[in-house]
Structures are given as structure tokens and as C-alpha cells.
Amino acid sequence: MSRVKTALTKLIPRRWRRGTSVVPVVRLSGVIGAVTPLRPGMTLAGVARTLERAFAVANAKAVALVVNSPGGSPVQSRQIYLRIRQLSREKEIPVLVFVEDVAASGGYMIACAGDEIFCDPSSILGSIGVVGGGFGFTELIRKIGVERRLYTAGEHKATLDPFLPENPEDVARLKTIQREIHATFIELVKASRGGRLKAADELLFTGEYWAGERSVALGLADAIGDLRSTLRARFGDKVSTPLIAPSTGLLSGLLGRKAGAGTLTSQGGMAGMPDELISALETRAIWARFGF
């Protein structure tokens, strides 16, 4: 009888077995908010369903988020952060964040949704700031004999046009907006990390970033630790960590294409290649800021 019982037990998925703790895992990876036909970035629309499924797992002891992002859109970053915190409160399930290569800028904002943040000694964390940039082509078009013709309704409609000389007033307006976004970011970090922050604002919020050990010392993370070892130490060797991946199949594929995650064929063949190349270069540049 005991052999039969053992055999039947093995047929039951591990996470449903008696005495097994369950901690669903969600990966949040990539540049945030950068969406092109072939490179959909991380957005709330793209991760919301996955997060909801993770927090709906029966008898979950916690939800583990594996974060690996150099940042991107501050709006999408904050919306993902808010959704995680909302689900955590509604389901009364704690959130444990594990940083892989980098959780910087918007990536660190998302990491702050964790009740605790763990990282590798070589992880990069921080970059609590706001950055924007572009190129100026006024000298180039002058040399090749191109005349810029621009027609607008609205005094500031052509603000920071790369083919017009830079206007100090436009730059000042942009800096004002950046300071407002930066203040929101700082407020979020302080509200999330609270008294765990161990350095002055003048150091933490300059846009600088640090490796894992230093991040822990500054209070940006709680401890050095990997997902498997940390969860086993906390919930036992039998802890089950099912990966909650984005839905696949016909319906999700159709929805993905509708949202912009299409193919070259569905987006007009080779016509999308210049934008895709620029997007790839921009994405690579964002990662390169942190040595990746």
C-alpha cells in the first residue's frame, strides 16, 4: 500500500504536494517601454497578466521577481512597480526581488517593489536619475546644402528639433521636466526603502550606480544572495519555484502583434528595418552604460 501511495504521490506536481512551499517566479527583463515591431520592450500591458497569474498561485509563500533591466520609460517603470505593490497588498503575499546583471534607473524602480532586494556581488544597482539626449545636425545639413523647412502651430511645437540650432530656453524647459520626474523617482525609493537607506541624498540620488556589495552597504539592496539558495534557506529544501512565463498560443500571438510585437512581414517587409536598426543601437547603448 505504501508503494502505491508513493507512486501516486510522484504523479502529483511537486508544488501541490503536502509540506511543499511554493514561491512562483517571474522574470522582468529588458529595456522598459521601448517598443518597435521586432523589439517589444517591457511594459505594464506586457507583464500585467503574468504578474496576476503569479500572485494567484494557491498557497504561495511569496512571489520572487528576477529583475534584469538597465531602465527605460519612467512611466512604464512606475506603473509596473505600482501593479506589483497593489497585487502584493491585495493577496497579502510578500515580494522578493533578485537582481541579475543590472537593476538600474527604471530597472531599480521596479526592484523597489520588492519587500526585500537580493543581488549578486557583481550586479549593478542604482542610477537613480533621469537622462535624455539626442543629436544636432545643423552643421551637417549646412555643409551638404540642405535647407530645413518646418511649419508649426504653437510656439514650442518644434522644441529641441535636431535640425535647428539648440535653444537654451528649450533646454531649460526640458531640465525642469527632468527634475520633476527625478523628484518622483526619489520619493518612490524613499517610500520603498525607508530607513534602510544608509547614505545621504547627495550620494544616492545623483544617478551614480554601484556593484552588489556596495549597494547593500548603501541600503539599496538587503543582501547578497541568489534565488535558489535564498529561497531554500527561507522555505526549506523542498520549496517549489514554478516559473510563471508570459502566455503563449494563438490568442496571445494575435494580441502581441496588435500591440506592436509583429514580424517584418506583418509590418511591411523591409520598410521597418531602419527603425529597427536605430532601436537596436539605442537598446545596445542603454545596456552599454552599465558595462553590458
Side-chain angles (χ1 to χ4, degrees), residues 26-32 40-43 47 66-70 100-102 110 287:
V26 176
R27 295 188 60 86
L28 299 174
S29 181
V31 176
I32 303 164
M42 192 196 320
T43 63
V47 304
V66 179
V67 175
N68 193 14
S69 173
E100 290 191 321
D101 297 302
V102 57
I110 291 175
W287 282 103

Side-chain angles (χ1 to χ4, degrees), residues 15 20-26 50-66 84-85 87-89 91-98 113-116 118 227 230-232 234-235 239-244:
R15 61 179 174 174
T20 299
S21 297
V22 181
V23 180
V25 178
V26 176
T50 304
L51 291 171
E52 289 169 1
R53 288 169 54 213
F55 280 95
V57 171
N59 301 317
K61 299 294 185 180
V63 168
L65 305 178
V66 179
I84 295 167
R85 293 314 310 156
L87 289 169
S88 177
R89 287 192 296 269
K91 304 296 184 178
E92 298 183 342
I93 298 175
V95 177
L96 305 178
V97 168
F98 295 86
D115 295 286
E116 297 177 70
F118 300 87
L227 185 144
T230 302
L231 296 185
R232 282 191 162 202
R234 185 162 300 189
F235 301 108
V239 62
S240 174
T241 56
L243 177 64
I244 311 300

Side-chain angles (χ1 to χ4, degrees), residues 117-123 211-214 216 221-226 230:
I117 300 175
F118 300 87
C119 61
D120 186 85
S122 298
S123 298
E213 295 280 6
R214 180 64 171 152
V216 172
D222 295 286
I224 300 296
D226 65 280
T230 302

Side-chain angles (χ1 to χ4, degrees), residues 7-250:
L8 291 174
T9 299
K10 289 181 179 180
L11 296 176
I12 301 173
R14 185 179 175 186
R15 61 179 174 174
W16 292 345
R17 297 176 194 172
R18 184 177 300 176
T20 299
S21 297
V22 181
V23 180
V25 178
V26 176
R27 295 188 60 86
L28 299 174
S29 181
V31 176
I32 303 164
V35 179
T36 65
L38 294 182
R39 289 182 180 269
M42 192 196 320
T43 63
L44 177 60
V47 304
R49 179 58 183 152
T50 304
L51 291 171
E52 289 169 1
R53 288 169 54 213
F55 280 95
V57 171
N59 301 317
K61 299 294 185 180
V63 168
L65 305 178
V66 179
V67 175
N68 193 14
S69 173
S73 164
V75 173
Q76 292 299 322
S77 302
R78 186 170 181 274
Q79 288 187 348
I80 293 171
Y81 164 91
L82 290 175
R83 182 60 57 85
I84 295 167
R85 293 314 310 156
Q86 289 164 0
L87 289 169
S88 177
R89 287 192 296 269
E90 290 169 7
K91 304 296 184 178
E92 298 183 342
I93 298 175
V95 177
L96 305 178
V97 168
F98 295 86
V99 177
E100 290 191 321
D101 297 302
V102 57
S105 195
Y108 183 70
M109 185 184 291
I110 291 175
C112 283
D115 295 286
E116 297 177 70
I117 300 175
F118 300 87
C119 61
D120 186 85
S122 298
S123 298
I124 298 295
L125 291 84
S127 190
I128 303 168
V130 181
V131 64
F135 300 92
F137 299 102
T138 53
E139 290 299 315
L140 174 63
I141 64 175
R142 181 183 63 80
K143 287 181 180 179
I144 62 177
V146 175
E147 179 184 359
R148 173 65 163 161
R149 295 176 179 176
L150 185 66
Y151 312 101
T152 68
E155 181 181 355
H156 301 298
K157 190 62 179 177
T159 293
L160 298 176
D161 186 299
F163 297 101
L164 295 175
E166 189 175 65
N167 183 338
E169 293 182 359
D170 292 345
V171 176
R173 281 191 291 273
L174 174 62
K175 296 291 288 184
T176 297
I177 293 173
Q178 287 182 322
R179 284 192 292 270
E180 293 172 354
I181 297 172
H182 193 197
T184 299
F185 195 171
I186 293 171
E187 181 182 356
L188 182 149
V189 173
K190 286 185 173 181
S192 301
R193 300 298 298 168
R196 288 176 287 184
L197 296 174
K198 302 171 185 176
D201 291 5
E202 290 74 17
L203 174 62
L204 292 176
F205 304 130
T206 63
E208 189 175 354
Y209 49 86
W210 301 270
E213 295 280 6
R214 180 64 171 152
S215 298
V216 172
L218 293 172
L220 297 177
D222 295 286
I224 300 296
D226 65 280
L227 185 144
R228 186 172 186 269
S229 300
T230 302
L231 296 185
R232 282 191 162 202
R234 185 162 300 189
F235 301 108
D237 291 343
K238 293 184 179 181
V239 62
S240 174
T241 56
L243 177 64
I244 311 300
S247 299
T248 58
L250 177 61

